[in-house]
Amino acid sequence: QYSLMQADGATASTDAVVANNSATSAIVTGVSAGLVRVIATFAGQTTTADTDIRNITVTDTAVTVASIVSAGLGSSSSPLSTFSAVVNSTQTIQLGVVFSDGRSYPTLFNGSNNASPLLPGLLTFAASPANVVSVDNATGIVTLLANYHLSASVTVAASVGPAQATVQFACNLQPAVGDLDVGSVSGPPLSVAAVGAAVDLPVFVNTGALSLSAYDISVTFDSSVLNVTDVVKVHSGGAMDFNLLTVDAGLNVMRVRFSGFIEDAGLQGTRAALVTIKATTLRSALTSIVPTITVLTQANEAGPLNAATPVVATAGSVSMQVGASTRRRRSQDAEEGEVVEDDACDNPWVLASAVQEVARASSRRRRDTGSNLAGDTNGDGVFDVNDALFVLTYLALLGENFSTPLGSTVESRFLAKPYMLVEMDADRNTETNNKDALFLNKINVGLLAFVRNLTVTEGRNADFGCTVRVDVEVLGAGDVAVDPASTFFFIDFSGPSSTFATMFARSSAANQIVIGQPTSVTKDAGLFGGFMQAVRTSQPSDVPSIFSVEFNSSFIDVQTGFSVVQITTGFRDVGQYMGGSEEAPFVYGVKQSKTFTADGQSVLVETSGSLGYNPFRMVTIGIGCATTTTSTTTSTTSTTSTVTTTTSTSTTTTSTTTTTTT
C-alpha cells in the first residue's frame, strides 16, 4: 500500500491524492502545488530512508493547447481527400495536439471510432455545411449526409487556448443496393463546367450481388442551365430508348426519361454503368440534377431490385456549378460586412418536380384486376418497361418449350390471362419477336403509340358517289389519349397495278377528301397507291383516340392493302411503319422507304423487310361502285362493327358496306 505525506513526512498530503491503491501500484493525481512524499507500506514495514521515498513535485502552472497537428479525415498520416460512402456512413477525425509546455500527444483518441478521447473535453468539433456532414462535438465522428459540389469542412477548436484546425474534404455519396449514382466517385460528383461546355453525366447503378434486367429512370434538370443533347447506352446487350419531356416551361424544368432492358444474365456490380447523358451548359448557375427511379427489375422474374421504387435517387441527386459562382448572400452568422457562399441551387423547382414525379409514377401503378391493358404482356395490370423485358423472357422460354420451373410458371399465367399472348404482338403484325420488345420500350418513353384497330367503312352519298372511311384506334402508354399536336398518322393505300394507282390519284385529290389531308409522298418504283394523312376525329378525352380519313372513292372492286405510318415529333422525331407479317411471301415485292413531313419535321420511315412487305390489313373496297363522284359530302359515321351489312333504298338513302378488322 502507498500513502502520501507532506514534505515534513509528519502529516498527510493535501497536494495530491492516490487511487487504485494496491500492493503493486497506485495512481497519483495532483491536486495543488507542493512537494509530495510517496511512502510504501508492506507487511507492516514502512519505507523510512530518504533513498526509499519517492518525492513528487506538483505544479499548477497553466497549460494550454498551443497547436493542433496532423488533423485529417480517417487518418493523420494519409488523410482522405474524399468522404465517399453510402449515406449516413461515418468517419473519424484523427489528430494530435502540442501543449504550451512542450508536451505533445501525437494521437488524441484511442480506437478507430474516436469513442475514447485521451483528454475528454479538450477539443470541440463543428461541421459545415450542416446539411452535408454532421460531426459529434466531443468525439469528432463525422457522418456523411449528402453530395456537395464544393469541399465540406470540420473545424477543431481547443477548449483551452486559441488553437484551431480545419479539415477539408469532398463529399460524394455512393449508391446503396438499388440506388443510382451520377458522376465520379472521387472528389465532388461533378466538376465545375464552363458556360458553353459539353458535359457528360454518367449514370451508375448498384445491383449488389443481384442482376439487373430492366430499368426506367427520369432525370429532372433546369433547361435554362443544361441542354440535353443525347443519352448513350453504356451497358452491353439489350436496348435503351429515351425521350425529353417538358415538365414546366415557365419554370425551366425538363426531364429526360430513359428505359431499357438487358438480356441473358443481366447487369451486375456495385457501380455498374447504365448510360451517359450528354449535355451542353447554357449559363452560370449552381444547378440541381435529380434522378427518379421508377423501375429497377431483377433478372429471371425475381422482382424489383429496389422495393421502394418509385423513389428519388439518393446518391444520384447532385448539383453542378456552371461558370463562375455569382450568387452570394449575407449570412446571419457572418460578421458585419462579411459575405459567405450561398449553397442553394438556382432552381428549387427541379427537386420539387422530381418528388412530384415519384407521386405520379406511384399513381400510374394499379392493382392487378385481370383486365386487358394495352401492352401488359406480363399480366400484372401495369404497362411499363417490364413488359418489354417479358417479351424476351417469353421468347427464351418458348425456345425451351417452357420446360424449366420458370417456364411452367409463365405458361400457367398465359392460361389464366390469355390476353397476355395477344399483347405480346405489340405492333400487331401477327408475329411476336424481339422487335415487339423494342416497340414497347419506345411506347414506354412516349416515342410511339399503340395502334389497336383499323376499320374500313364504305358507303354512298346522296349523289350516288361511293365513300370510303378509314378509322385507326390508337392508345398512349397506360391507355390514355394521344396528343395530335405531336403524334401523326398516315394511311398507306397499296394495290396490285397501275390501274389502282390511277384510282387512288383520283380519290386522294384535295377536293375529294372529306376528312384528312392529301400528301405529296409517292410510292417507290414497282409499288402502286399512295398515302393520306389522318386527323383526330375523337374528342380530346376519348380513349382510344380515333384518327380518320374519309374521301369520295374512285375505287372499283379492288383488293387494297392498308397500313399505318405513325410519327411522333418533339425532342426526338420517330417514325414507325405498321405493316403485316415480316415473313415471305410478300404481297408487295419492293421495300418501301419514304420521308414524311409532320410538324415541320422530315422523318424517314421504312418497311422492315428488304425484299418486300405485307400490309397491316387487306380489304376489298369499291364493290358495286361503278361511277366516280366529285362531290363533297358530310362524313359518314364511324363504326367498329365486326360484321358486313348492305342496305339499298331510294336514291336519297345512304347505302353502306362496313368491313372491320381487329
Side-chain angles (χ1 to χ4, degrees):
Q1 297 287 319
Y2 298 87
S3 59
L4 303 179
M5 304 296 292
Q6 289 185 351
D8 58 11
T11 58
S13 173
T14 59
D15 299 324
V17 295
V18 64
N20 295 338
N21 206 343
S22 69
T24 58
S25 65
I27 296 176
V28 178
T29 303
V31 175
S32 59
L35 180 64
V36 178
R37 309 185 77 189
V38 181
I39 301 173
T41 302
F42 179 75
Q45 301 297 315
T46 302
T47 55
T48 56
D50 289 342
T51 56
D52 297 328
I53 296 175
R54 175 63 59 86
N55 293 325
I56 298 177
T57 300
V58 179
T59 63
D60 61 358
T61 303
V63 177
T64 61
V65 177
S67 61
I68 299 170
V69 297
S70 302
L73 181 70
S75 170
S76 293
S77 57
S78 300
L80 298 173
S81 60
T82 303
F83 193 170
S84 182
V86 299
V87 67
N88 293 324
S89 294
T90 59
Q91 266 292 356
T92 61
I93 297 294
Q94 296 293 332
L95 50 79
V97 295
V98 176
F99 290 99
S100 57
D101 62 359
R103 289 178 299 161
S104 65
Y105 283 75
T107 301
L108 202 61
F109 294 94
N110 287 327
S112 59
N113 62 356
N114 284 21
S116 304
L118 297 178
L119 300 173
L122 181 66
L123 302 175
T124 60
F125 300 84
S128 177
N131 63 327
V132 175
V133 287
S134 65
V135 64
D136 186 281
N137 181 57
T139 65
I141 296 176
V142 182
T143 302
L144 180 62
L145 303 177
N147 289 308
Y148 195 45
H149 66 289
L150 299 173
S151 292
S153 64
V154 172
T155 300
V156 188
S159 58
V160 287
Q164 281 193 347
T166 299
V167 179
Q168 293 188 324
F169 47 89
C171 292
N172 192 326
L173 289 178
Q174 295 306 299
V177 174
D179 193 22
L180 298 178
D181 192 25
V182 174
S184 67
V185 70
S186 180
L190 298 173
S191 301
V192 176
V195 176
V199 294
D200 286 352
L201 307 176
V203 180
F204 304 88
V205 61
N206 183 357
T207 73
L210 306 174
S211 293
L212 176 71
S213 280
Y215 56 90
D216 188 343
I217 298 162
S218 298
V219 177
T220 307
F221 63 96
D222 186 333
S223 58
S224 72
V225 181
L226 292 176
N227 175 37
V228 170
T229 57
D230 198 6
V231 179
V232 179
K233 179 175 75 72
V234 178
H235 63 79
S236 60
M240 182 277 300
D241 249 309
F242 71 97
N243 200 3
L244 192 63
L245 311 169
T246 299
V247 179
D248 192 313
L251 297 175
N252 298 319
V253 179
M254 296 192 75
R255 180 174 298 126
V256 59
R257 181 181 180 183
F258 51 93
S259 69
F261 46 82
I262 303 104
E263 300 167 273
D264 302 324
L267 183 67
Q268 190 178 64
T270 57
R271 189 174 170 80
L274 274 180
V275 304
T276 296
I277 301 172
K278 302 281 189 177
T280 55
T281 58
L282 302 175
R283 67 175 179 87
S284 295
L286 176 61
T287 189
S288 294
I289 299 166
V290 186
T292 301
I293 305 170
T294 302
V295 173
L296 288 177
T297 301
Q298 297 183 60
N300 299 318
E301 294 287 293
L305 189 68
N306 184 343
T309 52
V311 65
V312 172
T314 300
S317 296
V318 297
S319 57
M320 180 174 67
Q321 180 66 53
V322 177
S325 177
T326 57
R327 301 183 69 247
R328 302 175 73 84
R329 63 172 172 82
R330 189 179 304 279
S331 170
Q332 294 179 348
D333 301 324
E335 299 294 334
E336 181 66 27
E338 181 185 0
V339 293
V340 296
E341 191 71 26
D342 182 1
D343 295 322
C345 282
D346 192 71
N347 190 343
W349 296 107
V350 171
L351 176 59
S353 298
V355 173
Q356 291 172 1
E357 173 61 14
V358 170
R360 282 191 292 268
S362 298
S363 68
R364 287 195 295 263
R365 297 185 176 275
R366 69 178 191 180
R367 181 175 55 85
D368 181 6
T369 62
S371 62
N372 182 2
L373 186 72
D376 180 20
T377 67
N378 62 6
D380 65 354
V382 177
F383 171 68
D384 56 23
V385 69
N386 289 323
D387 293 294
L389 174 65
F390 190 76
V391 172
L392 302 180
T393 301
Y394 163 80
L395 292 172
L397 296 174
L398 179 64
E400 300 170 346
N401 200 28
F402 301 101
S403 58
T404 63
L406 178 59
S408 298
T409 300
V410 169
E411 192 173 30
S412 65
R413 286 159 65 181
F414 289 142
L415 295 175
K417 299 176 180 179
Y419 71 81
M420 292 168 57
L421 286 171
V422 177
E423 293 305 323
M424 218 90 70
D425 180 19
D427 56 13
R428 292 299 194 264
N429 69 350
T430 73
E431 300 165 359
T432 298
N433 51 35
N434 291 356
K435 292 180 181 179
D436 290 294
L438 299 174
F439 183 68
L440 288 168
N441 196 38
K442 280 184 167 59
I443 294 174
N444 184 58
V445 297
L447 292 176
L448 291 173
F450 292 102
V451 174
R452 299 281 89 173
N453 300 326
L454 186 150
T455 302
V456 178
T457 303
E458 292 187 87
R460 287 182 180 274
N461 59 32
D463 296 323
F464 302 99
C466 290
T467 61
V468 173
R469 175 169 174 146
V470 182
D471 294 311
V472 179
E473 295 182 10
V474 297
L475 292 165
D479 284 9
V480 300
V482 301
D483 182 5
S486 59
T487 309
F488 304 86
F489 295 90
F490 298 81
I491 309 301
D492 178 3
F493 296 77
S494 298
S497 65
S498 58
T499 302
F500 182 90
T502 300
M503 289 188 286
F504 176 80
R506 292 172 179 171
S507 301
S508 60
N511 64 342
Q512 300 302 311
I513 296 179
V514 180
I515 298 174
Q517 298 176 9
T519 73
S520 59
V521 182
T522 60
K523 288 284 190 177
D524 289 322
L527 298 174
F528 306 100
F531 302 86
M532 295 186 196
Q533 183 174 347
V535 297
R536 186 181 67 182
T537 52
S538 58
Q539 294 299 312
S541 59
D542 287 351
V543 177
S545 299
I546 308 295
F547 285 75
S548 310
V549 297
E550 183 179 342
F551 54 91
N552 297 315
S553 175
S554 294
F555 292 106
I556 302 174
D557 194 11
V558 60
Q559 192 174 46
T560 304
F562 292 88
S563 299
V564 179
V565 174
Q566 65 164 307
I567 293 174
T568 301
T569 60
F571 174 70
R572 298 183 66 196
D573 302 322
V574 177
Q576 179 82 14
Y577 191 91
M578 310 291 294
S581 171
E582 298 178 357
E583 299 293 330
F586 297 115
V587 176
Y588 309 108
V590 178
K591 177 183 177 68
Q592 191 159 225
S593 178
K594 307 305 299 182
T595 298
F596 293 82
T597 300
D599 194 24
Q601 304 301 313
S602 296
V603 181
L604 177 66
V605 180
E606 297 180 325
T607 54
S608 58
S610 60
L611 300 178
Y613 69 98
N614 290 310
F616 192 74
R617 297 288 183 265
M618 291 290 291
V619 179
T620 299
I621 59 175
I623 300 175
C625 290
T627 60
T628 301
T629 180
T630 58
S631 63
T632 301
T633 63
T634 304
S635 62
T636 57
T637 303
S638 172
T639 177
T640 56
S641 172
T642 58
V643 300
T644 300
T645 61
T646 302
T647 304
S648 298
T649 58
S650 67
T651 58
T652 58
T653 303
T654 301
S655 171
T656 63
T657 302
T658 302
T659 304
T660 302
T661 54
T662 61

